[in-house]
Amino acid sequence: MDAKRIVSFLTRVAQNNNRPWFQEHKAEFEACKADFEAGITQLIATLATMDPEVAHLTVRDCCYRFYRDTRFSADKSPYKRHFGAYICAHGRKALRGGYYVHLQPGHSFIAVGSYWLPTHILTSCRNEIMGNIDQWRRAVEAGEFVKFFGYPGNGVMTDDELSAKGFGIAMLKTAPKGFPRDYEYIDYLRMKDYCCWMRVPDTLFDAPDWQRQLLRYFRVAKPMMDFINAVVDDYE
């Protein structure tokens, strides 16, 4: 994947986010889009060596549209400033956790897990964590997991700010309703999602083995994701 070319194009999109400019550069967009999708196709194949459940996916199942839905947004810019793909065995819109890749100039990152689960599923996840706390801790307190993603609530992920790493996008201020406030591992129950992420340099995607590099990070996060997916699968 020619990440330098993609980053250059995305940088200019951010500076000229309007339809006339985009139409003049539509051919370049199509070339960058095809290049990104070819990279994601290769990443799916690489991921499938670790997680066979994603082997059937294609880029159409994973890649997001570049055109923004501006109907309910104050920002009327018609185009995104990044290319993104969510590799999830049940598809982009599934509640099930998966692997996310985000390529944006100066803001590239990867993420693994489930984002904004409904309350009733979160409750089941919390009960499962309490009932199998040793298994959960082995997944999220392992040395490499903490090194790459940190501890619950240690990071920030918003449209304007993204920390170097994080585990849990949002946290309750106190224990969730029906759970003991004095529980020893209450931070795991305060989490409103079970998603971890880490920023990566844009140049990573220019490396000849970038898919293998991402596989290392995804492999470390997979036990956490599998734990939560085992609960989510009961509802999908």
Side-chain angles (χ1 to χ4, degrees):
M1 182 162 62
D2 190 347
K4 290 181 180 177
R5 179 181 183 181
I6 294 174
V7 166
S8 174
F9 173 74
L10 291 173
T11 299
R12 285 178 286 128
V13 168
Q15 297 167 345
N16 305 274
N17 205 318
N18 60 77
R19 288 182 176 83
W21 184 92
F22 189 81
Q23 289 303 314
E24 290 178 8
H25 298 81
K26 187 70 174 291
E28 187 176 2
F29 162 71
E30 294 293 351
C32 289
K33 176 175 177 286
D35 193 15
F36 179 77
E37 290 180 348
I40 295 302
T41 296
Q42 294 171 348
L43 179 58
I44 292 169
T46 301
L47 268 174
T49 64
M50 174 191 74
D51 188 348
E53 290 187 314
V54 305
H56 69 283
L57 296 173
T58 68
V59 292
R60 293 189 65 180
D61 303 312
C62 304
C63 291
Y64 290 98
R65 297 177 71 250
F66 195 67
Y67 305 91
R68 296 181 64 245
D69 183 351
T70 62
R71 291 174 298 172
F72 308 106
S73 174
D75 179 4
K76 298 303 180 182
S77 302
Y79 309 107
K80 295 177 180 177
R81 297 165 178 81
H82 67 273
F83 283 130
Y86 184 49
I87 303 173
C88 175
H90 292 186
R92 287 195 311 273
K93 296 182 179 180
L95 294 173
R96 198 174 204 264
Y99 313 90
Y100 179 68
V101 176
H102 185 101
L103 178 52
Q104 179 179 357
H107 298 276
S108 296
F109 70 94
I110 61 168
V112 181
S114 297
Y115 175 66
W116 293 123
L117 290 171
T119 300
H120 66 292
I121 300 181
L122 269 177
T123 298
S124 293
C125 290
R126 290 162 178 158
N127 282 321
E128 192 70 15
I129 289 171
M130 287 189 70
N132 298 277
I133 188 61
D134 290 341
Q135 178 187 349
W136 176 252
R137 291 183 63 205
R138 283 195 297 272
V140 302
E141 294 180 10
E144 284 201 313
F145 186 96
V146 174
K147 175 184 175 181
F148 295 149
F149 308 112
Y151 294 100
N154 70 299
V156 178
M157 181 189 284
T158 68
D159 290 339
D160 301 318
E161 185 179 0
L162 177 67
S163 56
K165 61 184 177 182
F167 180 32
I169 298 171
M171 302 280 289
L172 294 171
K173 293 182 179 180
T174 61
K177 185 177 180 180
F179 290 86
R181 291 173 178 264
D182 60 351
Y183 181 59
E184 183 178 1
Y185 305 106
I186 191 62
D187 282 351
Y188 295 132
L189 309 186
R190 291 175 53 229
M191 298 174 72
K192 296 175 68 174
D193 60 85
Y194 292 99
C195 174
C196 61
W197 74 89
M198 64 178 293
R199 292 182 66 165
V200 296
D202 304 336
T203 53
L204 180 148
F205 296 97
D206 271 322
D209 65 339
W210 68 268
Q211 296 97 344
R212 287 289 172 186
Q213 292 189 48
L214 294 193
L215 187 66
R216 178 190 177 191
Y217 306 132
F218 290 151
R219 188 186 304 276
V220 170
K222 188 174 183 292
M224 179 278 294
M225 183 183 74
D226 287 346
F227 186 104
I228 298 300
N229 278 347
V231 179
V232 176
D233 285 350
D234 289 339
Y235 295 88
E236 286 199 319

